[in-house]
Amino acid sequence: MKKIIIFILIYIIPYALFSEVPQGTFTYSFYGNGSLMGRVKVSIKKENNYYISEITYTLHTSDKKIERFIRTKETVTFVPISIYSAQKMIINAIPITVKKYITFTKKHIVVNTKGNKIQYSISSPFVLDGLYYLKESMKHKYKKNFIFSALVYVPEIEIERPIKITYHIHGRKKIHVKNKILSLYHITQRLNKTTVIHNYFNNKGILY
């Protein structure tokens, strides 16, 4: 579950104070229970009628290290084109590397792993997690208690089909972190009736 949560958070959090989809390269840190867990570099650029995003991050836990690179391409109207991901995990000194290349058409998701292609049929339009969320949130100026839902493709959660995610912007909330009281932005993502991800971050995009 940690891997799933981290993937979602990295892609949506750092740009709360922008008024448009940001372009450029940004770096930030994320924390778990007040302790530094990893660092992230995110690059976003617009080429013709496409957004291209690249994410590089390193996550450390007590028993493993995860290094990951993700490159996504989507139209400026947030129609998915492709996702490339390369992940290296080191668990108990044993390295494991996984690479995926995913492409999209109007009716199919095509997943290519180590030369093996699997095609899944889809019936409804969907978006990728990340820029669509940013645009909707910024359009409404991160208004407190703003709620919206979308069919979102997150391969770390469900490789075969998009899932419904409901985003809820709660505004600022004071929380305790290492004997300090911090005023942080609070956003939740509801994946289903029982799974809710709570996101807390400050003005600089540092995630707690």
Side-chain angles (χ1 to χ4, degrees), residues 22-157:
Q23 295 186 61
T25 300
F26 310 88
T27 58
Y28 73 106
S29 304
F30 56 95
Y31 291 74
N33 298 321
S35 299
L36 181 66
M37 292 183 65
R39 300 190 186 278
V40 187
K41 181 173 74 173
V42 182
S43 298
I44 302 173
K45 61 182 178 180
K46 183 178 178 183
E47 290 186 352
N48 299 319
N49 292 319
Y50 299 98
Y51 285 121
I52 297 173
S53 307
E54 294 184 348
I55 302 170
T56 303
Y57 77 82
T58 302
L59 167 67
H60 295 270
T61 65
S62 59
D63 61 343
K64 63 185 175 183
K65 176 182 178 182
I66 300 174
E67 297 176 348
R68 190 165 196 201
F69 173 80
I70 307 165
R71 185 179 191 269
T72 64
K73 183 177 182 181
E74 58 197 296
T75 71
V76 293
T77 56
F78 308 108
V79 176
I81 303 298
S82 64
I83 300 174
Y84 170 77
S85 66
Q87 177 169 285
K88 180 180 180 181
M89 299 179 62
I90 301 175
I91 303 176
N92 298 323
I94 300 174
I96 303 171
T97 301
V98 179
K99 296 181 180 180
K100 288 188 179 74
Y101 183 61
I102 304 171
T103 56
F104 306 95
T105 68
K106 290 183 178 180
K107 296 183 178 181
H108 297 99
I109 298 169
V110 181
V111 180
N112 190 328
T113 305
K114 294 183 178 180
N116 298 318
K117 287 187 178 181
I118 302 176
Q119 182 172 281
Y120 303 104
S121 297
I122 51 176
S123 57
S124 301
F126 60 92
V127 297
L128 301 180
D129 194 31
L131 298 188
Y132 174 79
Y133 162 86
L134 285 174
K135 187 63 177 179
E136 284 297 303
S137 300
M138 292 184 296
K139 183 169 67 176
H140 294 273
K141 299 181 179 180
Y142 281 78
K143 183 179 178 180
K144 185 177 180 179
N145 289 325
F146 174 58
I147 301 173
F148 65 99
S149 299
L151 277 178
V152 184
Y153 184 70
V154 186
E156 282 72 16
I157 298 176

Side-chain angles (χ1 to χ4, degrees), residues 165-183:
I165 298 181
T166 299
Y167 302 90
H168 185 172
I169 300 173
H170 298 270
R172 283 186 175 271
K173 183 177 181 180
K174 292 183 178 180
I175 66 170
H176 291 266
V177 179
K178 282 192 172 181
N179 299 320
K180 294 181 180 180
I181 298 177
L182 302 179
S183 179

Side-chain angles (χ1 to χ4, degrees), residues 177-195:
V177 179
K178 282 192 172 181
N179 299 320
K180 294 181 180 180
I181 298 177
L182 302 179
S183 179
L184 303 174
Y185 290 99
H186 180 207
I187 294 176
T188 56
Q189 296 162 283
R190 181 175 293 276
L191 308 185
N192 51 48
K193 291 182 179 181
T194 59
T195 304

